[in-house]
Amino acid sequence: LGGMFLAFFVSPNTYRNVTYLSSLMTDKTIAFIGEWQPRDTAIYVREIGPFWALGLAGLAVGRKGRLFSLLLLGATGYLSIQAFRHEMLFVLAATGVTIFQLKHSPAWQRWTERALARWNITLPAYALVLVLMSVYVRAEHFAFCQKDHLFGYGVFDRAKGSYEFLERENVQGNMFNTDGIGGYLSYRGYPHRPIYMDGRNVEYGFETMYDTYFAGEH
C-alpha cells in the first residue's frame, strides 16, 4: 500500500493522480461528455443490475474479507451510478468480489466438487453457455461501435475519409475540429498536422469546450 501511494507521486502525473479523482465529480466539462454522465436508470438496471446481484450474492455466501469486499463493491458501485465510464470498473470489481467470496464458501466448494465429478455433463454445458455469451457480447459490441463506424483499433471511417482528403489536396496548417474526431486526426497526422481538440475534456477546460460547441451549433 505504501509503495502504491509513493507511485502516485513519482509518476509523470505527480499530484494530478489524486486531484483527478476530484475532477471526476466536479469538472464542468462533464456536461458535454456522455460517458461522464449517468445512464438512464432502466438501462443501468438492465445491464449492470445482474452484477450487483452477483456481488451481493457473493457477500451473502462468502466468509472472508466481507468488510473489504463490501467497501470495494460500494465504492465502485457508487462511481458506476455517477458516470457511464465507471460501469466497467464496477463490473470488474463485482466479478472479482464474487469469485473471491465463492472461493471461500463451503457450499460452493461442495457444488464445484460435484460438478467436476460429472465433467462429461458440466463441461459441454459450460461450453454452450460460453458460446452463447460470446455471441451476445459480440452483437452488443458491434451495435455500440456501429453508431460511430468504429470497427477495430485505429478504424474510424468518417474521420478516415476526412484525413485522406487533407492529404490528397495537400491542405496544410492548424485544423479546427470537434473533440470526437480529434483523437483519430492526431493518430494519423501527429506532429505534422496539429489538431485543435481531442477527447481530453478536462485538459482543455470548460471555457474552450463551451466555445467549441457554441461555434459548432451556430
Side-chain angles (χ1 to χ4, degrees):
L1 183 60
M4 279 178 46
F5 184 78
L6 179 63
F8 269 122
F9 298 97
V10 299
S11 72
N13 284 335
T14 61
Y15 68 92
R16 294 183 184 87
N17 281 321
V18 177
T19 58
Y20 177 74
L21 297 176
S22 174
S23 71
L24 292 177
M25 302 298 178
T26 60
D27 192 88
K28 293 190 293 184
T29 61
I30 292 175
F32 301 115
I33 310 298
E35 67 178 278
W36 283 54
Q37 301 170 15
R39 286 206 289 175
D40 178 78
T41 302
I43 298 176
Y44 179 88
V45 171
R46 184 181 73 239
E47 298 187 359
I48 307 301
F51 292 95
W52 276 104
L54 276 176
L56 294 174
L59 285 173
V61 302
R63 295 187 175 183
K64 188 172 183 179
R66 283 183 172 177
L67 178 59
F68 171 78
S69 297
L70 181 62
L71 290 174
L72 180 62
L73 201 65
T76 55
Y78 173 76
L79 290 175
S80 73
I81 294 173
Q82 298 301 309
F84 170 50
R85 64 181 290 147
H86 300 142
E87 290 181 7
M88 181 51 65
L89 178 64
F90 171 70
V91 168
L92 294 173
T95 304
V97 166
T98 303
I99 294 173
F100 175 76
Q101 293 296 343
L102 290 179
K103 179 182 177 181
H104 296 91
S105 168
W108 175 260
Q109 294 299 326
R110 290 192 297 269
W111 187 91
T112 302
E113 292 173 0
R114 289 196 299 269
L116 290 175
R118 306 178 63 182
W119 63 268
N120 57 328
I121 298 176
T122 55
L123 186 60
Y126 279 126
L128 178 61
V129 170
L130 183 61
V131 169
L132 293 176
M133 289 180 60
S134 300
V135 171
Y136 171 77
V137 169
R138 184 184 183 280
E140 288 291 308
H141 177 71
F142 185 84
F144 179 82
C145 293
Q146 194 175 30
K147 293 183 296 184
D148 289 324
H149 303 280
L150 302 172
F151 298 106
Y153 292 108
V155 178
F156 195 166
D157 289 347
R158 292 183 297 181
K160 179 181 178 183
S162 301
Y163 188 82
E164 289 176 350
F165 171 83
L166 296 176
E167 286 199 319
R168 184 172 63 251
E169 302 298 327
N170 195 29
V171 179
Q172 301 296 325
N174 296 338
M175 288 186 282
F176 182 67
N177 59 275
T178 63
D179 61 324
I181 201 175
Y184 182 85
L185 294 177
S186 182
Y187 163 72
R188 289 290 302 273
Y190 180 85
H192 307 295
R193 298 184 185 276
I195 65 170
Y196 170 70
M197 176 180 286
D198 55 28
R200 294 171 292 178
N201 52 306
V202 174
E203 284 71 14
Y204 289 99
F206 176 79
E207 289 75 16
T208 300
M209 293 197 67
Y210 177 82
D211 292 341
T212 303
Y213 277 84
F214 183 83
E217 293 177 359
H218 298 81

